[in-house]
Amino acid sequence: MPDAEQPRSVAEVREGLGEAGYLADESSALVSFLAQRLGKPVLVEGPAGVGKTELAKALSRHTGRPLIRLQCYEGLDEAKALYEWNYRKQLLRIQAEAGGEAEPPEGSWEATRGDIFSEEFLFTRPLLEAISAEMPVVLLIDEIDKTDQEFEAMLLEVLSDFQISIPELGVIEARTRPLVLLTSNNSRELTEALKRRCLYLWLDYPSVERELEIVRLHTPELDEGLARRMVEVVHMVRQLDLKKPPSIAESIDWARTLLLVGAEDLDRETFEQSMSIIVKHRSDIDLVAERVAVKLGDATPPAGAAGQTQA
Ligand SMILES: Nc1ncnc2c1ncn2[C@@H]1O[C@H](COP(=O)(O)OP(=O)(O)O)[C@@H](O)[C@H]1O
Ligand SMILES: [Mg+2]
């Protein structure tokens, strides 16, 4: 899609995302459409591994806008998110201009000062980079729930005004408006103020049919019957009360594994050998072995029966 062009319909966005390798459901497509038309940021929440980050990447591929990513973590501050002065370079310039003299000539400090607080001496971090980009970008602020509320407040300012003020330089206003996606794994409640500014998208584990489509997109070589059976088992596992239920990411990994080991069916033996791909806690493994493995049956059913549970 050429950049200046806004999408005309939700269907167009959905199709475009599909071409970019992302199978969007109705609400993801709608929110992606509105974000572009209304120029509002999107907050995407949901469990790990359901396609939050990938949505931003797919939007970047689909719109042709470069992706700028700010990966959040505990303790992330303005110096790593907005900008930072390059002290080392500033120091070198001061030394060079002083020319080794103990007493620099009158008025020279003012000149040096103006010089070293210019863009040349600035490290631009993702937020400033997104704001000052010549071409409109997709800005992904990933896992915002890992930062603290102070950081959120700073972010609010950037997201509401689309400008960043640097005391020594002045205000840098956005040349183009970035398409902003924030993701959260829901590890803490985000502030109302942030939510108010954003469109909201809740991404959950998909239905069997949708997940099957996604798995097939990533591993088209895997037999369809086997893929379906695998996705059904993943859904069975998700119903248990696990510490960490398997996500789409794990389904895809499992599909790749089954393909690599040349599995023909998902019988008990294959399951037990490969279940560590989808369950990754000791206690979860025990529970899954007890509740799910026993249901799968030992023998490989005759050809053609794949995808059916035993009578
Ligand atoms: N709707 C989808 N279409 C295609 N691939 C998807 C979809 N949802 C998830 N995936 C795949 O699942 C994996 C995990 O997605 P990711 O975006 O990293 O999850 P999250 O950011 O929610 O933790 C990625 O490999 C991604 O390609
Ligand atoms: Mg992610």
Side-chain angles (χ1 to χ4, degrees), residues 82-83 85 117 119 122 128 164-172:
L82 286 177
Y83 68 89
W85 289 108
F117 287 109
E119 283 188 38
L122 209 57
L128 178 57
I164 291 173
S165 141
I166 303 179
E168 300 87 348
L169 258 188
V171 174
I172 299 189

Side-chain angles (χ1 to χ4, degrees), residues 21-24 47-54 185 214 217-218 248-249 252:
Y22 190 86
L23 299 175
V50 293
K52 301 184 295 298
T53 303
E54 190 61 32
N185 286 344
I214 296 173
L217 181 78
H218 287 265
I248 303 177
I252 295 170

